[in-house]
Amino acid sequence: MGFLLTRVAAISAYLAELTRRGVPEHCGSLDEEVVFILDGVGGCQFAPLLVRRAFRQEGIELGTIVFNWQFGVPGEIWTDLMWLRRNRLMAGKLARKLLAFRRAHPRTVIHVLAYSGGAGIAVFALERLRGRQLVDTLILACPALSPQYNLGPALRSAKRCFALVSRRDRGILGLGTRIFGTTDRKHSAAAGMTSFSIPESASADDVDEYRKLREVRWTPELQADGHTGGHTGWVSSPLLRRHLLPLLRGTPDLPLHEVSKAP
C-alpha cells in the first residue's frame, strides 16, 4: 500500500507541474548554478518536472535545463533503451551543449542529474568531454547501465559523482534490463539495482577516477521521504526537497558507500 500511495503522489505532482508550467527547456537563472536534467526512456520528462517542483517549493534558485534526448512520441520506451548508435549521437549533442554553455557562462557551476536510461546518455556525454572538468556534480539516479560499465573516462570530466541505488528496483532494473538490455546493451540487472563495480579491465587511471564516485543505497529509513525502494522513489517530492541540494553541493546527509572491484 505504501508503494501505491507514493506512486500516486508522484504522478499527481508530475501532472500538476506539467499542466501548470509545461516543459520549457530552460527555467530559472543560468548565471550562478545550473542543473542539466535528463529523464529516463519514454520522454515524458517525469524527473525534470519533479525536480523543478521541488526546487520551487523549497525556494531553491537554481537554473535547470532539460536535455530531451528521447526519440519518437512520449511513452514509447523501447527505441530509447535499445538504439545504442542514436543514444551515442545524442550524447555527443549533450557534450557539445555543455561546452557551448561553459563558453557562454564561464562562471556558472554546472551539475548533471540523469535518471534511469538518461544516466547512460550522461555518462556517454562526459566521456566525449575527454577530461575537460566542466561538471561539478554528476548524479546518476537508478542508472540503467550495466554494473561493470567503466565509468573512469566519464568521471574525468566531473569533480564528484553520486549513484542512487536500490535493491528493491527489481522490476525495471532487475527483470526488465535482463530481458530488454541496459542502455549500454548488456542483458543483466542494472547498476541502479545491484551497485556499480570497478571492471577488471579498467586501467590504473580509470580505477583512480572511481574515488570520485559514492553510492547512496536505499534503506528503509528513506520511506519517511517517500521512497519505498521502487524505480521512481529517487524522484519522490519529499526526498528531492530534503536531499537533492546537499547532493549537488557534495554534502549529503545520507550514508555513502565506495564501490569495489568486480569479483
Side-chain angles (χ1 to χ4, degrees), residues 196-215:
F196 283 104
S197 57
I198 303 172
E200 287 292 333
S201 60
S203 69
D205 288 341
D206 288 338
V207 172
D208 188 54
E209 291 297 324
Y210 272 83
R211 62 186 166 76
K212 300 175 182 177
L213 172 64
R214 293 293 182 271
E215 290 190 341

Side-chain angles (χ1 to χ4, degrees), residues 100-146:
F101 184 88
R102 171 53 73 225
R103 288 192 293 269
H105 302 268
R107 294 181 177 84
T108 299
V109 175
I110 299 173
H111 308 293
V112 175
L113 189 160
Y115 174 74
S116 192
I121 310 303
V123 167
F124 300 160
L126 266 65
E127 291 171 353
R128 296 286 191 98
L129 295 177
R130 300 183 184 279
R132 299 181 183 91
Q133 201 171 84
L134 302 188
V135 177
D136 256 47
T137 302
L138 170 64
I139 297 179
L140 305 176
C142 48
L145 284 163
S146 59

Side-chain angles (χ1 to χ4, degrees), residues 18-181:
L18 180 65
T19 302
R20 295 171 189 169
R21 301 179 184 271
V23 195
E25 181 183 5
H26 300 163
C27 186
S29 171
L30 308 181
D31 294 329
E32 294 185 7
E33 196 169 3
V34 67
V35 187
F36 282 77
I37 311 174
L38 286 74
D39 200 27
V41 299
C44 294
Q45 308 310 333
F46 189 76
L49 291 190
L50 291 180
V51 168
R52 284 177 170 173
R53 183 180 178 86
F55 280 169
R56 191 174 63 256
Q57 289 175 334
E58 290 298 299
I60 297 171
E61 297 183 359
L62 266 69
T64 56
I65 298 176
V66 175
F67 181 71
N68 188 353
W69 61 274
Q70 297 87 350
F71 178 82
V73 298
E76 195 280 293
I77 65 174
W78 310 116
T79 303
D80 293 342
L81 181 64
M82 302 172 78
W83 196 354
L84 181 59
R85 182 173 180 274
R86 181 183 183 276
N87 287 344
R88 289 197 176 276
L89 289 172
M90 294 306 293
K93 182 178 178 181
L94 175 59
R96 293 190 295 274
K97 196 174 187 72
L98 289 167
L99 288 166
F101 184 88
R102 171 53 73 225
R103 288 192 293 269
H105 302 268
R107 294 181 177 84
T108 299
V109 175
I110 299 173
H111 308 293
V112 175
L113 189 160
Y115 174 74
S116 192
I121 310 303
V123 167
F124 300 160
L126 266 65
E127 291 171 353
R128 296 286 191 98
L129 295 177
R130 300 183 184 279
R132 299 181 183 91
Q133 201 171 84
L134 302 188
V135 177
D136 256 47
T137 302
L138 170 64
I139 297 179
L140 305 176
C142 48
L145 284 163
S146 59
Q148 294 185 42
Y149 187 87
N150 186 0
L151 296 177
L155 292 173
R156 288 184 178 86
S157 298
K159 290 183 181 178
R160 67 183 74 90
C161 177
F162 297 104
L164 313 183
V165 174
S166 174
R167 287 277 178 182
R168 283 196 167 190
D169 198 346
R170 302 182 190 97
I172 292 177
L173 296 186
L175 180 62
T177 53
R178 282 191 179 95
I179 295 173
F180 299 107

